């Protein structure tokens, strides 16, 4: 996730942000081909700016992620040897955290997408065989509490071999955020926060 600079803070509904995400994704796809697995990051959907309060989620951004950029809000892929990789859209899973950043006229639509996404994730976990090990790909760790609250996810926590988080940015941003806000240790769903 976060394939765009999100210069207008409204995700890829902004043309420049969509072009930048498309350029990034085309380079990644050229390098990795079908092996590339992606999730939709919060900056693709829109994110309120820290200074000035501009921006926020936009319906058109999620629609363009799927139609123009070929990103999926949910995917499930066998990884071989009993391993299953599952990719989710963290902003959709944790949408109630971002409801205040959503235009009033779009909130009902986002709420439906949120409920449908959680139901899809819950059903995917329900459909897994007991012997499957799971690698969860979830951009923003704030969604993990929402996922852990799903009954079928809770039943299979022991099958989660690990969770990949992309939201933690670079070591420089990580260090600033840790110093300003104190980033806690993430210890659910197989996550141990580390910088790479």
């Amino acid at each position: 996730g976060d394939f765009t600079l999100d210069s207008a803070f409204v995700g890829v509904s902004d043309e420049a942000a969509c072009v930048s995400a498309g350029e990034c994704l085309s380079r990644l796809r050229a390098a990795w081909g079908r092996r590339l697995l992606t999730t939709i990051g919060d900056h693709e959907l829109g994110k309120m700016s820290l200074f000035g309060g501009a921006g926020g989620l936009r319906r058109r951004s999620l629609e363009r992620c799927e139609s123009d950029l070929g990103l999926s809000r949910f995917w499930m892929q066998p990884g071989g040897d009993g391993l299953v990789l599952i990719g989710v859209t963290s902003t959709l899973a944790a949408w109630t955290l971002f409801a205040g950043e959503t235009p009033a006229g779009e909130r009902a639509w986002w709420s439906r997408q949120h409920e449908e996404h959680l139901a899809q994730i819950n059903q995917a976990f329900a459909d897994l065989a007991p012997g499957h090990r799971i690698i969860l790909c979830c951009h923003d760790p704030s969604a993990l509490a929402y996922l852990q609250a799903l009954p079928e996810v809770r039943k299979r926590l022991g099958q989660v071999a690990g969770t990949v988080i992309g939201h933690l940015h670079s070591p420089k941003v990580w260090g600033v955020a840790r110093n300003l806000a104190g980033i806690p240790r993430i210890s659910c769903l197989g996550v141990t926060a580390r910088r790479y």
Side-chain angles (χ1 to χ4, degrees):
D2 287 354
F3 303 106
T4 180
L5 296 174
D6 192 17
S7 51
F9 305 105
V10 291
V12 297
S13 64
D14 173 63
E15 189 60 29
C18 192
V19 169
S20 73
E23 175 73 18
C24 179
L25 285 163
S26 68
R27 290 180 183 211
L28 288 168
R29 288 171 177 146
W32 295 96
R34 295 179 58 90
R35 294 179 297 158
L36 179 69
L37 298 173
T38 59
T39 60
I40 298 173
D42 53 331
H43 287 285
E44 275 78 65
L45 299 178
K47 188 167 180 75
M48 192 74 69
S49 76
L50 292 175
F51 306 102
L57 287 113
R58 295 296 186 272
R59 174 181 179 165
R60 180 73 179 125
S61 290
L62 180 56
E63 293 169 344
R64 286 188 93 179
C65 279
E66 295 177 312
S67 64
D68 298 6
L69 299 173
L71 297 171
S72 298
R73 62 177 80 183
F74 174 85
W75 49 262
M76 199 167 161
Q77 176 147 340
D81 199 27
L83 191 66
V84 176
L85 292 94
I86 297 176
V88 303
T89 300
S90 56
T91 302
L92 270 182
W95 176 76
T96 56
L97 288 176
F98 308 106
E101 297 183 20
T102 308
E106 294 186 7
R107 287 184 186 148
W109 183 87
W110 280 98
S111 180
R112 283 191 308 275
Q113 304 309 306
H114 163 71
E115 293 298 328
E116 289 171 10
H117 194 52
L118 291 178
Q120 185 176 34
I121 295 165
N122 195 59
Q123 187 60 54
F125 272 75
D127 292 343
L128 290 168
H132 281 135
R133 291 175 302 120
I134 304 155
I135 299 290
L136 178 67
C137 300
C138 176
H139 179 75
D140 180 348
S142 62
L144 296 178
Y146 289 82
L147 301 181
Q148 197 166 3
L150 297 172
E152 296 298 332
V153 173
R154 259 195 328 273
K155 284 182 192 174
R156 287 161 181 79
L157 286 176
Q159 291 176 247
V160 178
T163 299
V164 179
I165 299 293
H167 186 65
L168 300 177
H169 299 281
S170 71
K172 187 173 187 176
V173 173
W174 171 267
V176 170
R178 180 179 287 284
N179 291 336
L180 290 176
I183 294 180
R185 179 178 173 79
I186 303 165
S187 59
C188 64
L189 287 162
V191 174
T192 300
R194 290 191 297 259
R195 292 178 287 146
Y196 293 99

